[in-house]
Amino acid sequence: SRFKVYSCTIRWDTLHSHHSYTASYSGCTWWRRATRHRPVSDDDFRPSTFAVDIPTMLLIGALLGVGVTVGAQRPTDVVSGVVSGRCDVTTFGAKGDNSTDNTAAFRTAAATCRARFPTGAVVVVPPGTYVTGPFNLSSNMTLEVMLGATMMGSTDPSVYPLVVQLPLDEAYRAPNMGNTQYQALVSAYSAVNVGITGGGTIDGAGWTWWGNLSRNASNLWAHQRPKLVEFVDCTTVTVTNVTLRDSPFWTLHPIFCTDVWLQHLNIFAPRNHGNTDGVDPDSCNNVYVADTVIDVGDDAVSVKSGLHWRTREKVAAANYLFERVTILYRNFAIGSAVDGDVRNITFRDSTIGDDAGSSPWAIKLKTDSQEGGVVDGVTFQNIRLGLITMCGSSKFVFPPSTCIPGKEKRATAISMGMGYGRLKPTNPGRLRNVVFSGIHGIGPTGDVAGWDGLPGAHIEGVTVRNVSLQQGTVWACSNVDNVTLQDISPAQQGSCASKTSR
């Protein structure tokens, strides 16, 4: 069916800033993705004409990151684009004094806003520092943390409800926790059209939780530490223009979600505390991450997949695009949990590591030998590497003994392995069709590549083109088939060269 609409102007300046289109009552002309698969090229966009009502038109503009002008000015939610109501948390008793426990006020604000404005609610956090425990976002809801505002996680574990530990794969690694975790500071479950924005900061007060950790026993709590932000089983998730810092555990964890848009984020945690991953999109479909700076104590980005927490069925991580991501510390990773399968992942036009020496490796693809899972179709394109070194690495994960002559060579720019955890290979996965193109910068103090398949489960199909580094010559392969190395500088040495086909 067709609907009458007001005249509108859509300006798309996210991917193609030079395009601008004007539409009348008969419909809006825009650029539509011809395919949702990654990687993206200009050929993936083609013109299409359609007619929409105003809420749908605004929704399209918001999801594409564009400005939309309609005939009448009306308050709209910056994420959903629909007519919305704003609910200031201070109206519900919240105080931004960095001491008052505002948990009840935040929960009441979210619940009331949902009830009053079911088609578009905005929970507003004005300037100030607000201590709060966990609360949930709902469908058609935006959390707007304004510039100058900080949401500070409560340091009282008793205000954090216990929920199912996700992903389920983490449970076997810490069986003492009974498959439970403290709920994330901000969560959404089975929500549609949900997001966070505003220019402010969400701080997990992680120092309280890290204080009960040690290098040899990283999980001394009775339950898993809380993540900072977690979306579970959600559709159309948007997180933009916020700073996320000092998460007790992983920072931003969308899991079992569809259509996830993460852009213009700053994600920080101390480099000397582990498990503080930056962005961990887990078992999601259609994920876009861009224009983000990450400096944390563990994987900056970690693509994961696993079994759904209710059905125990495999859910793949598929169709991810990362671009213009600056990783100051540590690395881009896939795994180790990949038993739901991983396919069609692109990481491009980005930087890993600084020139002073921070990350012990830049790219790490890791699967264990008991969970199975297939990783198929991963592309790294136009990636600048800083100084990849064990010196300056996280003391939590890497003891000072790694930064001495003879051990410093353990730093590896590109690591791929199928035996993570050194478990008995009862159900090894598969890793295949990986492309590295346009890798440049300083490089590692050790090997450029360390790729280790397993007997009977080889890494298959690795293509490397146009590599220009200042240091690093060794490309080491074990149980790897069909390797192509072209235009490598410095000239490669090591076991991968013997497997080269031209």
Side-chain angles (χ1 to χ4, degrees):
S1 59
R2 301 178 67 85
F3 303 89
K4 181 178 179 180
V5 300
Y6 293 91
S7 62
C8 63
T9 299
I10 297 181
R11 295 186 182 276
W12 187 353
D13 53 13
T14 300
L15 295 177
H16 292 265
S17 60
H18 55 284
H19 291 306
S20 178
Y21 298 98
T22 301
S24 65
Y25 70 92
S26 61
C28 297
T29 300
W30 65 309
W31 283 81
R32 181 189 60 181
R33 288 287 309 278
T35 174
R36 304 180 85 168
H37 296 295
R38 306 294 195 264
V40 181
S41 70
D42 288 347
D43 292 334
D44 287 328
F45 298 86
R46 62 182 62 167
S48 177
T49 300
F50 67 103
V52 295
D53 57 5
I54 285 179
T56 303
M57 178 181 68
L58 292 169
L59 173 60
I60 292 168
L63 291 178
L64 296 178
V66 303
V68 180
T69 303
V70 297
Q73 296 297 320
R74 305 164 74 181
T76 59
D77 172 359
V78 295
V79 172
S80 71
V82 300
V83 176
S84 61
R86 298 173 65 82
C87 303
D88 190 316
V89 294
T90 60
T91 303
F92 299 87
K95 296 181 180 180
D97 57 9
N98 198 23
S99 61
T100 301
D101 181 357
N102 296 295
T103 304
F106 272 74
R107 291 176 181 173
T108 301
T112 303
C113 213
R114 175 189 62 195
R116 290 180 180 174
F117 309 104
T119 61
V122 183
V123 177
V124 180
V125 183
T129 300
Y130 300 82
V131 178
T132 181
F135 64 97
N136 292 340
L137 304 178
S138 306
S139 292
N140 302 316
M141 179 176 287
T142 299
L143 173 64
E144 182 180 333
V145 186
M146 298 179 66
L147 185 66
T150 296
M151 282 176 46
M152 181 70 68
S154 173
T155 58
D156 180 4
S158 68
V159 305
Y160 289 77
L162 295 180
V163 295
V164 174
Q165 184 178 357
L166 296 176
L168 295 177
D169 315 74
E170 290 293 313
Y172 84 91
R173 301 170 196 248
N176 59 298
M177 295 184 181
N179 197 28
T180 55
Q181 66 183 21
Y182 294 104
Q183 184 177 336
L185 186 60
V186 182
S187 302
Y189 295 88
S190 302
V192 177
N193 189 29
V194 62
I196 303 172
T197 190
T201 297
I202 302 177
D203 190 319
W207 57 85
T208 300
W209 305 87
W210 304 325
N212 197 20
L213 305 177
S214 72
R215 183 176 180 273
N216 295 321
S218 62
N219 295 307
L220 300 182
W221 292 93
H223 313 282
Q224 187 56 273
R225 288 165 281 153
K227 305 180 185 76
L228 191 63
V229 178
E230 186 167 56
F231 297 93
V232 182
D233 288 317
C234 294
T235 301
T236 310
V237 175
T238 307
V239 183
T240 62
N241 298 301
V242 289
T243 295
L244 306 175
R245 66 181 312 122
D246 293 345
S247 176
F249 198 60
W250 300 345
T251 303
L252 179 52
H253 184 226
I255 181 170
F256 312 127
C257 295
T258 301
D259 296 334
V260 177
W261 188 290
L262 313 175
Q263 191 172 23
H264 299 302
L265 305 177
N266 295 309
I267 301 176
F268 303 124
R271 295 180 178 182
N272 61 343
H273 288 288
N275 304 126
T276 52
D277 294 18
V279 179
D280 287 7
D282 190 339
S283 300
C284 295
N285 186 33
N286 295 334
V287 174
Y288 180 69
V289 182
D291 306 304
T292 290
V293 177
I294 306 175
D295 190 334
V296 294
D298 214 308
D299 294 337
V301 174
S302 183
V303 175
K304 304 176 185 292
S305 72
L307 307 181
H308 195 275
W309 64 290
R310 285 195 178 113
T311 66
R312 302 301 196 273
E313 294 180 353
K314 294 173 60 169
V315 182
N319 307 321
Y320 289 17
L321 172 61
F322 302 85
E323 60 183 356
R324 301 183 302 279
V325 176
T326 299
I327 296 174
L328 299 176
Y329 188 93
R330 265 183 14 188
N331 56 281
F332 180 95
I334 293 181
S336 63
V338 296
D339 45 316
D341 297 342
V342 175
R343 54 181 179 266
N344 203 12
I345 310 297
T346 297
F347 185 73
R348 70 184 187 188
D349 302 333
S350 296
T351 299
I352 304 176
D354 59 32
D355 292 356
S358 56
S359 298
W361 46 74
I363 297 168
K364 190 167 190 177
L365 278 57
K366 49 186 177 178
T367 71
D368 74 29
S369 55
Q370 294 188 353
E371 293 182 337
V374 177
V375 178
D376 190 349
V378 182
T379 298
F380 298 90
Q381 181 180 357
N382 188 28
I383 307 299
R384 185 192 184 278
L385 305 184
L387 177 58
I388 306 305
T389 173
M390 297 297 294
C391 298
S393 301
S394 168
K395 293 180 178 139
F396 180 90
V397 181
F398 305 101
S401 61
T402 60
C403 187
I404 60 177
K407 292 191 176 181
E408 164 62 2
K409 65 181 181 181
R410 290 177 55 194
T412 302
I414 304 171
S415 173
M416 293 194 291
M418 300 180 65
Y420 185 78
R422 300 180 180 178
L423 304 174
K424 183 178 179 180
T426 57
N427 182 29
R430 292 292 184 268
L431 176 55
R432 59 193 183 216
N433 299 324
V434 183
V435 176
F436 302 94
S437 176
I439 310 298
H440 58 282
I442 298 177
T445 55
D447 296 349
V448 178
W451 304 338
D452 298 295
L454 295 172
H458 290 193
I459 298 172
E460 305 171 68
V462 182
T463 300
V464 183
R465 299 188 182 93
N466 188 22
V467 174
S468 178
L469 299 173
Q470 296 177 23
Q471 62 185 28
T473 61
V474 176
W475 296 69
C477 290
S478 173
N479 296 314
V480 183
D481 297 332
N482 300 320
V483 178
T484 299
L485 301 177
Q486 297 178 339
D487 299 323
I488 310 297
S489 176
Q492 76 270 14
Q493 304 174 21
S495 52
C496 289
S498 64
K499 302 175 185 298
T500 300
S501 58
R502 297 185 183 276

